[in-house]
């Protein structure tokens, strides 16, 4: 059994626990929250035996082996490094850090203390994405990658009514690029590597984060176009366009239905419908790394996470989007 603790008592932690409990060998033993009352409520909800309100105590505890971090992004680096120094393996929600400088420190800490450190970007670990990657050669010379993730935020109405929730606060390193744009950028980097250059723009909100934006990435012989938004919806498919055919992907954040439309009119269905909870794949791979002694994911590698973070940093620089974490 691998004994997990969790940081973050929100809906995504609930989803992770539900998914991870379908994976053999997972057991939840601890929860951290800033208040004892909230920790106790969450512990009772999920039958968790140990609670912590002091992170150093959690890092030193012998009651857990690994921690899933789903706190606001601005807390990821400090929390992850403290836990890794305590010998804990860390699975941290995307984006893994506020910026590349923080992420480099996290990766170095993982290496120094010989623990698994992995970014929980679920989409690249799903069977549907595997179908995308395995069948890319059928497209011939690839000329374009296009991905869109535009989802009107459930918190945007509150924002328009004068209540700024965490999703729209720069002090938590949030905004459309960090929350949704990363789902478009990470698959691009896994499939094609780091781009040679990017051109980015966005719409800034008065709170100090971006509500939506887009970027164009340049590669040798191809380019990539990415759109993301928390203030409008989109129903566009993702596409990878090649000289022999175009691959369509139903949803870049949860790819399931994948087709190739060849130039001669043929359509090949590569879909991987799946009933498993999507977050179970990241839990399964993370736990497998712990068991085998490997220290990073073969897909969500440290290098891929860092390349993605550098794209996010450059996109924010071009948009004038600065987080308090950047000024430390």
């Amino acid at each position: 059994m691998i004994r997990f603790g969790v940081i973050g008592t929100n809906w995504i932690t609930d989803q992770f626990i539900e998914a991870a409990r379908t994976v053999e060998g997972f057991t939840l033993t601890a929860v951290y929250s800033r208040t004892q009352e909230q920790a106790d409520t969450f512990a009772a909800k999920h039958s968790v035996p140990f609670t912590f309100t002091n992170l150093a105590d959690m890092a030193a505890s012998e009651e857990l082996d690994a921690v899933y971090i789903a706190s606001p992004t601005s807390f990821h680096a400090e929390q992850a490094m403290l836990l890794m120094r305590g010998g804990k393996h860390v699975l941290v929600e995307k984006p893994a850090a506020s910026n590349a400088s923080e992420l480099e420190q996290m990766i170095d800490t993982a290496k120094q203390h010989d623990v698994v450190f992995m970014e929980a970007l679920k989409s690249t670990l799903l069977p549907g994405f595997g179908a995308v990657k395995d069948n890319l050669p059928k497209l011939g010379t690839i000329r374009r990658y296009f991905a869109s993730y535009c989802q009107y935020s459930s918190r945007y109405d509150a924002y328009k009514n004068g209540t700024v929730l965490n999703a729209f606060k720069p002090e938590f390193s949030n905004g459309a690029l960090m929350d949704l744009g990363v789902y478009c950028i990470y698959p691009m980097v896994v499939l094609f590597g780091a781009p040679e250059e990017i051109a980015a723009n966005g719409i800034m909100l008065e709170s100090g984060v971006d509500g939506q934006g887009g970027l164009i990435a340049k590669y040798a012989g191809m380019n990539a176009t990415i759109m993301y938004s928390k203030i409008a919806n989109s129903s566009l498919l993702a596409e990878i366009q090649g000289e022999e055919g175009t691959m369509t992907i139903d949803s870049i954040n949860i790819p399931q239905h994948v087709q190739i439309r060849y130039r001669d009119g043929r359509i090949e269905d590569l879909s991987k419908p799946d009933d498993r909870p999507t977050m179970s794949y990241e839990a399964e791979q993370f736990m497998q790394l712990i068991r085998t002694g490997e220290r990073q994911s073969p897909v969500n590698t440290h290098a891929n996470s860092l390349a993605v973070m550098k794209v996010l940093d450059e996109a924010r620089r071009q948009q004038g989007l600065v987080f308090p974490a950047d000024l430390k």
Side-chain angles (χ1 to χ4, degrees):
M1 301 296 287
I2 296 175
R3 303 167 302 164
F4 273 76
V6 294
I7 296 177
T9 54
N10 49 34
W11 63 270
I12 197 165
T13 309
D14 288 332
Q15 283 195 355
F16 175 78
I17 292 168
E18 180 182 351
R21 279 179 166 158
T22 68
V23 180
E24 184 177 356
F26 173 90
T27 185
L28 182 62
T29 61
V31 58
Y32 166 87
S33 182
R34 287 171 295 175
T35 68
Q36 190 64 54
E37 180 182 7
Q38 197 165 14
D40 289 342
T41 299
F42 195 84
K45 178 180 180 181
H46 292 286
S47 301
V48 184
F50 299 99
T51 62
F52 295 92
T53 57
N54 182 293
L55 201 63
D57 290 342
M58 189 182 202
S61 174
E62 296 183 359
E63 303 298 339
L64 63 152
D65 309 302
V67 180
Y68 167 73
I69 299 178
S71 54
T73 302
S74 58
F75 298 128
H76 287 180
E78 181 181 357
Q79 292 175 342
M81 288 191 288
L82 179 57
L83 290 162
M84 289 189 287
R85 291 183 190 116
K88 304 300 184 286
H89 306 287
V90 170
L91 177 65
V92 62
E93 260 305 325
K94 60 79 200 165
S98 297
N99 52 51
S101 176
E102 285 187 351
L103 184 54
E104 287 171 340
Q105 294 176 58
M106 295 161 82
I107 292 169
D108 286 345
T109 302
K111 292 176 180 177
Q112 290 167 12
H113 295 274
D114 192 31
V115 294
V116 177
F117 169 67
M118 175 176 151
E119 186 169 10
L121 195 289
K122 65 183 181 182
S123 56
T124 48
L125 305 175
L126 298 177
F129 183 79
V132 171
K133 188 175 182 180
D134 291 345
N135 289 276
L136 275 183
K138 296 178 180 178
L139 303 181
T141 302
I142 294 172
R143 294 303 188 188
R144 186 187 307 274
Y145 167 91
F146 169 78
S148 170
Y149 192 1
C150 302
Q151 180 175 287
Y152 188 95
S153 172
S154 59
R155 299 168 180 82
Y156 187 50
D157 285 337
Y159 177 88
K160 291 191 290 185
N161 289 326
T163 301
V164 182
L165 299 174
N166 289 359
F168 294 105
K169 289 183 176 179
E171 56 264 40
F172 293 128
S173 304
N174 280 336
L177 174 67
M178 301 291 276
D179 191 24
L180 302 184
V182 66
Y183 277 111
C184 301
I185 296 167
Y186 211 109
M188 177 187 77
V189 168
V190 171
L191 294 173
F192 307 111
E196 295 175 0
E197 59 184 68
I198 69 163
N201 63 75
I203 295 176
M204 295 292 293
L205 303 177
E206 290 182 0
S207 68
V209 302
D210 58 329
Q212 75 173 42
L215 64 87
I216 296 173
K218 178 184 177 183
Y219 289 86
M222 64 165 277
N223 58 27
T225 303
I226 287 170
M227 304 191 312
Y228 52 88
S229 178
K230 291 177 72 73
I231 58 178
N233 288 323
S234 173
S235 58
L236 293 174
L237 299 175
E239 286 191 349
I240 302 175
Q241 302 168 6
E243 292 186 357
E244 301 303 322
T246 293
M247 184 183 289
T248 59
I249 306 161
D250 60 338
S251 178
I252 197 62
N253 61 308
I254 307 178
Q256 288 187 318
H257 300 287
V258 181
Q259 291 186 330
I260 297 178
R261 298 175 180 270
Y262 293 98
R263 283 195 299 111
D264 62 8
R266 288 179 297 124
I267 298 176
E268 183 179 5
D269 192 349
L270 305 169
S271 299
K272 298 283 187 180
D274 189 13
D275 294 331
R276 277 182 60 175
T278 55
M279 296 180 80
S280 68
Y281 289 94
E282 64 192 56
E284 182 177 56
Q285 182 165 115
F286 179 69
M287 291 165 65
Q288 183 67 11
L289 294 172
I290 295 172
R291 291 193 183 104
T292 62
E294 297 295 321
R295 290 302 180 240
Q296 59 177 302
S297 165
V299 181
N300 293 359
T301 63
H302 294 167
N304 282 340
S305 290
L306 190 55
V308 170
M309 189 59 63
K310 288 180 178 179
V311 172
L312 296 174
D313 283 0
E314 177 60 17
R316 289 197 297 111
R317 186 193 69 77
Q318 292 183 22
Q319 296 175 45
L321 174 52
V322 179
F323 296 139
D326 301 325
L327 306 177
K328 292 180 180 178

